[in-house]
Structure formats: C-alpha cells, structure tokens
Amino acid sequence: SGTLNNLSSASINVTSLWILGNGDSSSLTSPVITYASPGTYDVILIASLPNSCSDTASDVVTIYENPQADFTADSVCEGLRTTFQNLTIAGSSADLAYDWDLGDNNTTIDPNPLYRYASSGLYSVVVIVTDSNGCTDDATQDILVREPPLADYELLEGCEDADLDLI
C-alpha cells in the first residue's frame, strides 16, 4: 500500500477526486491505496473549487510484485551446523537482500546461512527479504536443535563361545 500525497495548492474549500486506474476512486485529500496486483496504473487527481474552477494532474503509478520469502532448515543436534536453504521467489526484481534473525540474538545477511547453535532448544527463525524496489516479505519457522544422544556401555568379561550381555 502507499499514500497518494495531494500537493494541490489553493486557499480553502478544495475538493479532491482521485481516479485510481484500477476502477476505484476516492474523494479523500491524500488517500492510502492498496493495489491488489502489480502493474502500472494511470492515476488522475482533479482538484476543484466550489465555483467550478478545477485543475487536473495525472501520472503513472508503478506497483511492483513482492518477493515471496521461504526457506527450509535441517533439524540437527546441538553442536552441528544447521543448513538454511533459501526458497525465496523473486518478485519484480531478482536483486534481493536478506536479513536473518536466527532466533538466538544472532543475525546474518547470507542468502543461505550455515549456523551452529550453542545449545539445544526451539528457535524461531525469521528471514526478511527486500528487493531493489523496496518491496519486502518475510517467513518464520521454528527450528528444533536436539540434545545429542549419549552412547555408553559397560564392558563385561566373558568366556570364549559364551553369550555376552551388554548393559
């Protein structure tokens, strides 16, 4: 969404009529508009005084397609690296910047980070993707880091050709 800033000059009693290029119109002085689809829209502003004096301004508004942020990540054991695979789909611009919050007060701008969590737990990871047009999207996933298993056994003595019980 965006705000159409009315820069019309007049003393008082100016009325505004915005023709928004998508079939909608508005009589607000500076409307906030959300276009449902990317594309170009011919926007017209008609500023009028009560005595029928009016002036018209027009311009083309370009609406860019947002990127679609997405990623997957491995569920790993504490001390092993988690691999984040970026699955973002570019919108109107393929020039993308990434801002990752790894859920443990650490951040990175790497598109596909590898990260080692210091302790086990559930981490809420967020990536914010911004393209060169300023369009953004974000994705959030919980990443589970497990405690590693502890392998241990007790060595017993035994005789040849006899079954040995491991405890």
Side-chain angles (χ1 to χ4, degrees):
S1 72
T3 301
L4 296 172
N5 292 318
N6 190 337
L7 303 176
S8 302
S9 63
S11 53
I12 55 172
N13 297 328
V14 174
T15 59
S16 301
L17 175 61
W18 292 89
I19 301 169
L20 302 171
N22 63 353
D24 292 338
S25 62
S26 174
S27 60
L28 296 174
T29 302
S30 293
V32 175
I33 305 302
T34 300
Y35 287 93
S37 301
T40 56
Y41 298 88
D42 295 317
V43 176
I44 300 168
L45 168 61
I46 303 169
S48 301
L49 291 173
N51 64 359
S52 297
C53 295
S54 65
D55 190 25
T56 301
S58 64
D59 206 343
V60 175
V61 173
T62 301
I63 303 300
Y64 299 105
E65 182 179 4
N66 289 328
Q68 297 173 25
D70 194 14
F71 67 94
T72 62
D74 300 333
S75 180
V76 297
C77 288
E78 174 184 322
L80 298 178
R81 289 191 318 186
T82 300
T83 301
F84 293 91
Q85 182 182 8
N86 184 352
L87 302 174
T88 297
I89 299 171
S92 295
S93 172
D95 184 13
L96 302 174
Y98 301 91
D99 185 12
W100 294 84
D101 177 343
L102 299 169
D104 66 348
N105 296 320
N106 285 295
T107 62
T108 183
I109 58 172
D110 189 323
N112 293 290
L114 299 173
Y115 187 68
R116 190 180 323 268
Y117 287 94
S119 59
S120 60
L122 190 62
Y123 297 91
S124 182
V125 176
V126 180
V127 62
I128 300 171
V129 181
T130 305
D131 71 15
S132 60
N133 298 315
C135 299
T136 64
D137 192 31
D138 63 83
T140 303
Q141 289 188 32
D142 289 334
I143 306 302
L144 179 60
V145 178
R146 294 182 170 91
E147 288 186 28
L150 177 60
D152 193 14
Y153 66 93
E154 182 179 318
L155 180 60
L156 302 176
E157 297 178 356
C159 297
E160 177 181 15
D161 294 327
D163 291 335
L164 186 63
D165 291 329
L166 297 176
I167 301 175

